[in-house]
Amino acid sequence: MIRAIIVDDEYLARQRVIKLLDTHPEIKVIAEAKNGELAVEVIDLKEPDLVFLDVQMPDFDGFEVLKRMKPKQLPYIVFTTSYDSYAIQAFDIHALDYLLKPIDEDRFNASVQKLLKHFEVQKTSEFNQKLMKMVKDFERPQDDFLNQITIADRGWELQVELDEVLYIEANGNYVNLQTPDKTHLYRSTMNTISDLLDPEDFLRIHRSIIVNRRYIKKCSYISNNEYEFTMKNGKVLQSGRSYRQEIMQYLG
């Protein structure tokens, strides 16, 4: 019996995996975790054989979960993600599986068959080394920033060029990517996406707002260390006081 833990901040996403596992009696779900911090605790305590791990979560992401895990033997990881093509490429290079949300049943079954073959042979230290190497490789150099985002929607994939994004606003567990003609909903935290953006092109003016420097039409001081940004599409955005230093550097 393969003992599995499901980690995802969305209840319905966890239930989707549980339902898909109904036809795979070889795998038993022993626990669920709704955030990264709880995931680390449960994984260390239960020492599962398998973890279905969400990449993006509000507190810290799936890669941070991997770095903080301290079980005697690392579990097999199947990522569940709406992440960009760079991450998917990293999974492929390091022979780790991933499931793109919304999870397709046939793709899920293929993933299960793949991991069952891995469990036929005892995992070696080489596999564990590959896993941690993938985590290390994913930590990009500071000069290698995200320039394109892949958005998955009902089985379709849409490429959004960040050069075309005027500004980004927080929207719960998602962010709104505002282009000149459309608003795209992308599952990410502001901190996660901010770390992947080139600071030469993007400026964070509020904990919930990031603006593309090239689309700023005017910046005006309001009061109390707050500024008003008028974008080229006419949208007016107000900064937060705690971002005064970043804005002053932008203004020179």
Side-chain angles (χ1 to χ4, degrees), residues 6 27 126 248:
I6 302 172
I27 302 173
E126 180 182 358
M248 290 297 292

Side-chain angles (χ1 to χ4, degrees), residues 222-235:
I222 304 175
S223 63
N224 198 22
N225 293 324
E226 294 179 334
Y227 294 79
E228 190 175 80
F229 285 78
T230 303
M231 308 304 291
K232 288 186 178 180
N233 68 342
K235 177 73 172 182

Side-chain angles (χ1 to χ4, degrees), residues 27-44:
I27 302 173
K28 178 182 179 181
V29 177
I30 60 172
E32 300 176 42
K34 63 182 180 180
N35 57 53
E37 183 178 2
L38 182 59
V40 173
E41 295 178 3
V42 173
I43 292 170
D44 287 347

Side-chain angles (χ1 to χ4, degrees), residues 83-86 140 144-151 158-169 175-180 184 186 188 192-203 210-215 231:
Y83 217 53
D84 64 89
S85 56
Y86 178 89
R140 302 180 178 202
D144 186 10
F145 297 101
L146 195 65
N147 53 44
Q148 185 183 77
I149 285 178
T150 301
I151 296 177
L158 174 66
Q159 305 292 332
V160 178
E161 299 292 337
L162 286 174
D163 284 347
E164 300 176 0
V165 174
L166 283 69
Y167 53 88
I168 302 170
E169 291 185 293
V175 295
N176 292 332
L177 307 175
Q178 183 63 55
T179 62
H184 300 281
Y186 179 60
S188 175
T192 296
I193 199 166
S194 178
D195 290 342
L196 295 172
L197 297 175
D198 189 343
E200 295 296 321
D201 296 330
F202 290 88
L203 173 68
I210 300 172
V211 297
N212 190 328
R213 291 170 180 248
R214 73 186 64 189
Y215 293 108
M231 308 304 291

Side-chain angles (χ1 to χ4, degrees), residues 82-248:
S82 303
Y83 217 53
D84 64 89
S85 56
Y86 178 89
I88 293 176
Q89 182 182 10
F91 304 150
D92 288 337
I93 290 172
H94 295 280
L96 302 175
D97 209 0
Y98 68 91
L99 295 168
L100 191 62
K101 294 180 180 181
I103 299 175
D104 175 77
E105 184 174 0
D106 290 339
R107 177 67 181 85
F108 182 88
N109 292 335
S111 178
V112 169
Q113 293 304 315
K114 179 178 178 180
L115 68 90
L116 288 176
K117 291 181 181 179
H118 279 277
F119 280 105
E120 290 176 2
V121 180
Q122 186 176 2
K123 289 183 293 180
T124 65
S125 60
E126 180 182 358
F127 173 81
N128 291 341
Q129 289 170 5
K130 281 187 177 182
L131 179 61
M132 299 318 294
K133 185 177 186 300
M134 187 280 292
V135 176
K136 183 178 179 180
D137 287 352
F138 191 79
E139 295 175 345
R140 302 180 178 202
Q142 290 300 309
D143 60 348
D144 186 10
F145 297 101
L146 195 65
N147 53 44
Q148 185 183 77
I149 285 178
T150 301
I151 296 177
D153 183 15
R154 299 180 182 179
W156 294 88
E157 289 189 356
L158 174 66
Q159 305 292 332
V160 178
E161 299 292 337
L162 286 174
D163 284 347
E164 300 176 0
V165 174
L166 283 69
Y167 53 88
I168 302 170
E169 291 185 293
N171 185 358
N173 290 335
Y174 293 77
V175 295
N176 292 332
L177 307 175
Q178 183 63 55
T179 62
D181 57 354
K182 189 174 181 180
T183 301
H184 300 281
L185 191 64
Y186 179 60
R187 191 166 187 271
S188 175
T189 64
M190 289 296 285
N191 287 338
T192 296
I193 199 166
S194 178
D195 290 342
L196 295 172
L197 297 175
D198 189 343
E200 295 296 321
D201 296 330
F202 290 88
L203 173 68
R204 190 166 185 178
I205 64 170
H206 190 278
R207 64 184 180 87
S208 301
I209 304 172
I210 300 172
V211 297
N212 190 328
R213 291 170 180 248
R214 73 186 64 189
Y215 293 108
I216 297 174
K217 182 177 181 181
K218 182 175 64 174
C219 176
S220 306
Y221 181 72
I222 304 175
S223 63
N224 198 22
N225 293 324
E226 294 179 334
Y227 294 79
E228 190 175 80
F229 285 78
T230 303
M231 308 304 291
K232 288 186 178 180
N233 68 342
K235 177 73 172 182
V236 177
L237 302 168
Q238 187 170 322
S239 72
R241 290 192 296 272
S242 59
Y243 291 86
R244 173 181 177 275
Q245 183 176 353
E246 290 87 343
I247 296 172
M248 290 297 292

